[in-house]
C-alpha cells in the first residue's frame, strides 16, 4: 500500500509575490467560473511534481516565474517548486530542511523530478523493455483531466507504459516480477529475431545451391582472375585512348588555328575591298580632270564673250569687238593646254593602274581566304575522321571493358558476400542458440517468480471489480447492468462493453471515468498491495453528464458516491465551472470567477485565466 500524499497548497510566483489557493481539506471544491483558471491550476499542480505531458497555458508561461505545490507524505511536509524558465523542480523537506533539485526532462543518467515524486508516493519508477512506470502514467490514475472526458481513459499515456503501470500500482506484479516479465519478453523477442536471421540466411543460401566453403574459395579465385584480366584490358584500352586523344587534340588545335587564319584572311579581304572603292573614286576624279583638260585644249570655236561661232558670217547686227583683231598668245596657250591634257591622261592612267593593283590585291585576298577556308574544312574533316576512326571505337571498347570489369567485380563481391554469409551463419547460429537458451532461462525465472500470478491477477481484478461496481452502479443504476474490471487490461467494462464502445453515450463514458478514479482511491485505501496515493484531483468531472434534469440527476448521484468515499484518510479535489447541485457535509467550497481568479495576483490583462 502506498504512503500518504495529500495536497496542502498551491502557489504561483508573479512579480516576486507568492500566492495561491489552499487545498488541505479531505473534500475540496474549487468552483472556477469561466476565466478563473480551474484547468490551469490543475495542470500546473502536476507540472510542479515533474509531469511532462501536461501543457502549461500562456497565462502560466508568460506571467509566472515559478509554481509551488505543498504536500504531506509519510516522511513529512514537502514543497515542490517548478522554475518555469529553467524547467527544473526543487524539492524541500520542511521537516529536515533537505533540498533536492532535479530537471523535468533529464539528460542520460540523471534522475528526473517525476521519478523523485513517485518515490515520495511510494511507487517505484521503472524502465523496462515492456514499458515504463512514470509520473505521467501514475498521474493518469490520480488526475481526471477535463479533455479526457468522453474519450479514452488514458489518452495522453503510451499503451505500453499504462499497461505496466496498472500491473504495478494495482499489485498484480511487484517490481522484481515486472522486471523479470519484461526481461522474459525481451529475451523471447531476441531469440525470435536471431532465429529469423538464421532462417533468412539459409533461405538466401538455398538460392546459390548451399555452396561449401571450398566451392566459394574456388569461385573467389576464378572471379579474382577475371577481375584482374578485365582490369588489365581496361588499362590497355585507356592507354591507347589517351594516345589517340593526344593526336586528336593536336589535330583539333590545327583546325582551330586554320579557323583563326580564315578569320584573319577574311578581314584582309574586307580591307582590300574597301581599298578598291578608294581607287574607283581616284579614277573617276582623274577622268573628270582629263575631260576638262581635253575640252580646254580644243581650238576656239566660239567667242568667249558673246558665245558666237568664229566662222565668217554676214548679216545685220553689231560685231564683237574681240573678234576683229588677231590673238598673238594663242599658240602658247594652246601648247599649255595640250600639256595639261597629257598630265591629266597620265594621272588617269596612274589611277587606273592603282585600281588594277587594288583589284589584283583584293582578288589575292579573296583567294587566300578561300584557300584558308578549304584548309580549315580539310583539317576539321581530318579531325572528325580521326575521331570517328580512332577515338570512338576505342571509347566503345573502353566502355565495354569497364562494364566487363564491373560485372566481374560484382561477381567477385557476390562470392565474397556469400562467404561472409557463410561466416555469419555460424555466428548467428551460435547467437540464436545463446538467445534461445537465454529466453528459456528468462522464462524459467519468470515462471518461478510468477507462481500463481494469473490467479493473483484474477483475484486482484475481482476485488477491483467489486469496488468498481459498488461505485459506478449507484451513479446510473438505470443505465448500468454490469460493471467489471478486465483481468487482462485492468480497465473497466460497462455492460460488457469497453469505453471505446461506449463512446456514443457521453454521459455513461464520463461516469465510467469518474468511477474508475474513485475506484483507484478506494483501492489505495482498502487493498494492501495497491501502490497509489489516496488522492484524486478531478477537473470538471461533471461536464460530460449533460444538462437539464437528467444531467442534474446524474451529477447528484456522482456527488453522493464521492461523499461516501471521501474521509479523513483520503482527499478529493474538484474543480468545476458550475455550482454543484447539492452541498454535502464536509465539502469545503471556494468560489472563483474572472474578477476573483484562482491565481489572485495575476495581471488583469491576462484574459486566458
Amino acid at each position: 500500500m502506498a504512503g500518504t500524499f495529500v495536497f496542502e497548497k498551491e502557489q504561483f510566483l508573479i512579480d516576486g509575490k507568492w500566492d495561491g489557493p489552499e487545498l488541505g481539506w479531505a473534500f475540496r471544491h474549487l468552483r472556477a467560473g469561466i476565466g478563473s483558471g480551474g484547468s490551469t491550476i490543475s495542470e500546473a499542480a502536476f507540472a510542479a511534481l515533474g509531469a511532462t505531458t501536461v501543457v502549461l497555458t500562456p497565462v502560466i508561461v508568460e506571467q509566472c516565474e515559478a509554481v509551488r505545490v505543498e504536500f504531506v507524505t509519510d516522511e513529512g511536509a514537502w514543497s515542490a517548486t517548478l522554475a518555469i524558465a529553467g524547467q527544473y523542480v526543487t524539492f524541500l523537506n520542511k521537516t529536515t530542511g533537505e533540498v533536492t533539485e532535479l530537471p523535468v526532462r533529464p539528460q542520460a543518467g540523471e534522475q528526473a523530478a517525476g521519478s523523485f515524486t513517485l518515490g515520495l508516493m511510494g511507487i517505484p519508477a521503472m524502465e523496462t523493455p515492456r514499458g515504463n512506470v512514470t509520473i505521467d502514467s501514475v498521474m493518469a490514475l490520480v488526475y481526471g483531466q477535463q479533455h479526457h472526458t468522453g474519450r479514452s481513459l488514458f489518452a495522453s499515456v503510451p499503451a505500453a507504459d499504462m499497461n505496466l503501470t496498472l500491473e504495478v500500482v494495482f499489485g498484480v506484479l511487484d517490481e522484481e516480477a515486472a522486471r523479470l516479465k519484461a526481461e522474459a519478453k525481451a529475451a523471447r523477442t531476441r531469440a525470435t529475431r536471431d532465429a529469423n536471421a538464421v532462417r533468412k540466411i539459409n533461405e538466401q543460401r538455398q538460392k546459390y545451391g548451399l555452396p561449401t566453403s571450398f566451392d566459394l574459395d574456388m569461385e573467389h579465385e576464378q572471379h579474382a582472375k577475371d577481375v584482374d584480366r578485365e582490369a588489365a584490358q581496361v588499362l590497355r584500352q585507356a592507354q591507347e585512348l589517351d594516345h589517340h586523344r593526344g593526336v586528336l587534340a593536336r589535330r583539333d588545335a590545327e583546325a582551330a588555328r586554320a579557323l583563326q587564319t580564315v578569320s584573319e584572311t577574311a578581314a584582309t579581304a574586307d580591307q582590300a575591298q574597301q581599298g578598291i572603292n578608294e581607287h574607283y573614286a581616284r579614277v573617276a576624279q582623274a577622268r573628270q580632270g582629263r575631260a576638262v583638260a581635253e575640252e580646254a585644249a580644243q581650238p576656239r570655236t566660239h567667242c568667249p564673250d558673246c558665245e558666237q561661232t568664229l566662222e565668217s558670217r554676214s548679216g545685220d547686227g553689231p560685231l564683237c569687238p574681240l573678234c576683229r583683231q588677231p590673238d598673238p598668245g594663242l599658240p602658247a596657250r594652246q601648247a599649255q593646254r595640250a600639256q595639261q591634257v597629257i598630265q591629266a591622261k597620265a594621272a588617269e592612267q596612274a589611277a587606273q593602274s592603282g585600281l588594277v593593283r587594288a583589284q589584283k590585291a583584293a582578288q589575292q585576298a579573296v583567294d587566300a581566304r578561300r584557300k584558308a577556308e578549304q584548309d580549315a574544312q580539310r583539317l576539321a574533316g581530318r579531325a572528325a575522321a580521326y575521331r570517328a576512326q580512332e577515338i570512338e571505337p576505342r571509347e566503345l571498347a573502353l566502355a565495354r571493358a569497364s562494364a566487363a570489369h564491373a560485372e566481374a567485380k560484382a561477381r567477385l563481391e557476390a562470392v565474397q558476400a556469400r562467404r561472409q554469409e557463410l561466416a555469419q551463419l555460424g555466428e548467428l547460429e551460435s547467437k540464436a542458440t545463446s538467445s534461445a537458451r537465454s529466453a528459456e532461462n528468462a522464462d524459467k525465472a519468470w515462471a518461478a517468480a510468477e507462481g500463481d500470478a494469473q490467479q493473483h491477477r484474477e483475484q486482484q481484478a475481482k476485488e477491483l471489480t467489486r469496488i468498481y461496481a459498488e461505485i459506478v452502479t449507484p451513479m446510473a443504476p438505470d443505465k448500468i447492468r454490469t460493471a467489471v474490471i478486465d483481468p487482462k487490461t485492468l480497465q473497466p467494462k460497462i455492460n460488457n462493453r469497453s469505453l471505446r464502445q461506449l463512446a456514443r453515450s457521453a454521459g455513461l463514458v464520463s461516469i465510467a471515468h469518474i468511477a474508475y478514479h474513485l475506484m483507484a482511491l478506494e483501492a489505495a485505501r482498502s487493498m494492501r498491495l495497491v501502490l497509489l496515493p489516496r488522492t484524486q484531483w478531478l477537473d470538471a468531472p461533471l461536464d460530460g453528464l449533460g444538462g437539464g434534469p437528467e444531467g442534474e440527476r446524474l451529477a447528484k448521484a456522482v456527488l453522493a458516491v464521492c461523499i461516501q468515499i471521501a474521509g479523513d484518510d483520503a482527499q478529493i479535489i474538484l474543480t468545476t465551472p458550475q455550482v454543484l447541485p447539492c452541498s454535502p457535509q464536509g465539502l469545503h467550497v471556494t468560489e472563483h470567477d474572472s474578477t476573483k481568479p484562482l491565481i489572485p495576483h495575476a495581471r488583469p490583462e491576462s484574459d486566458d485565466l
Side-chain angles (χ1 to χ4, degrees), residues 531-554:
L531 301 179
L532 279 175
R534 297 184 295 274
T535 297
Q536 285 293 330
W537 191 320
L538 306 179
D539 183 21
L542 309 180
D543 284 0
L545 301 180
E550 177 66 13
E552 184 176 353
R553 182 182 69 83
L554 294 176

Side-chain angles (χ1 to χ4, degrees), residues 180-235:
L180 289 175
K181 184 177 181 180
E183 290 174 359
K185 181 179 179 180
R188 287 194 299 272
T189 302
R190 287 193 299 270
T192 302
R193 184 180 64 245
D194 294 340
N196 288 336
V198 172
R199 177 180 56 80
K200 288 180 180 179
I201 285 186
N202 282 327
E203 290 176 355
Q204 185 70 20
R205 292 185 67 247
Q206 286 177 357
K207 297 179 181 179
Y208 313 135
L210 296 176
T212 63
S213 178
F214 176 78
D215 296 334
L216 293 175
D217 288 341
M218 296 299 294
E219 287 188 30
H220 183 275
E221 182 179 357
Q222 179 61 39
H223 291 314
K225 292 180 180 179
D226 294 342
V227 168
D228 293 339
R229 184 179 65 255
E230 296 299 338
Q233 181 68 10
V234 168
L235 180 61

Side-chain angles (χ1 to χ4, degrees), residues 325-473:
Q325 295 182 14
D327 186 5
L330 182 59
R333 288 194 302 275
Q334 289 294 337
Q336 183 180 0
R337 291 170 182 167
Q339 184 64 32
Q340 290 176 351
V341 170
I342 294 172
Q343 292 177 354
K345 289 181 178 181
E348 181 184 4
Q349 185 65 33
Q352 189 69 32
S353 300
L355 174 61
V356 172
R357 288 193 299 272
Q359 290 176 338
K360 185 177 180 180
Q363 185 61 40
Q364 291 176 350
V366 170
D367 294 340
R369 184 191 64 186
R370 290 175 179 173
K371 184 176 182 304
E373 289 176 348
Q374 293 173 356
D375 292 341
Q377 292 176 356
R378 180 179 58 80
L379 292 175
R382 181 187 177 194
Y386 192 84
R387 181 180 292 105
Q389 295 175 3
E390 302 293 342
I391 301 298
E392 292 179 359
R394 285 177 172 80
E395 287 178 343
L396 292 175
L398 178 60
R400 288 193 295 268
S402 298
H405 177 256
E407 184 178 354
K409 189 174 181 181
R411 290 195 297 268
L412 178 62
E413 291 175 354
V415 172
Q416 291 174 343
R418 293 196 292 272
R419 290 183 64 184
Q420 187 175 4
E421 287 177 357
L422 187 61
Q424 289 177 348
L425 179 60
E427 297 177 0
L428 287 177
E429 287 177 344
S430 300
K431 186 177 180 181
T433 302
S434 176
S435 298
R437 188 181 301 110
S438 299
E440 184 180 357
N441 294 336
D443 285 337
K444 290 180 180 179
W446 160 238
E450 181 183 24
D452 55 350
Q454 184 61 32
Q455 183 179 359
H456 177 63
R457 174 187 285 267
E458 293 178 356
Q459 291 175 352
Q460 290 293 97
K462 183 177 180 181
E463 182 65 19
L464 291 173
T465 295
R466 181 190 64 78
I467 297 173
Y468 186 69
E470 291 177 354
I471 292 174
V472 74
T473 303

Side-chain angles (χ1 to χ4, degrees), residues 498-531:
S498 66
L499 292 188
R500 291 183 178 274
Q501 297 169 331
L502 291 175
R504 294 183 179 180
S505 177
L508 195 56
V509 172
S510 297
I511 288 175
H513 279 227
I514 298 169
Y516 194 81
H517 282 277
L518 295 178
M519 179 208 71
L521 186 149
E522 182 62 25
R525 184 164 55 186
S526 60
M527 296 177 65
R528 180 178 59 86
L529 298 177
V530 173
L531 301 179

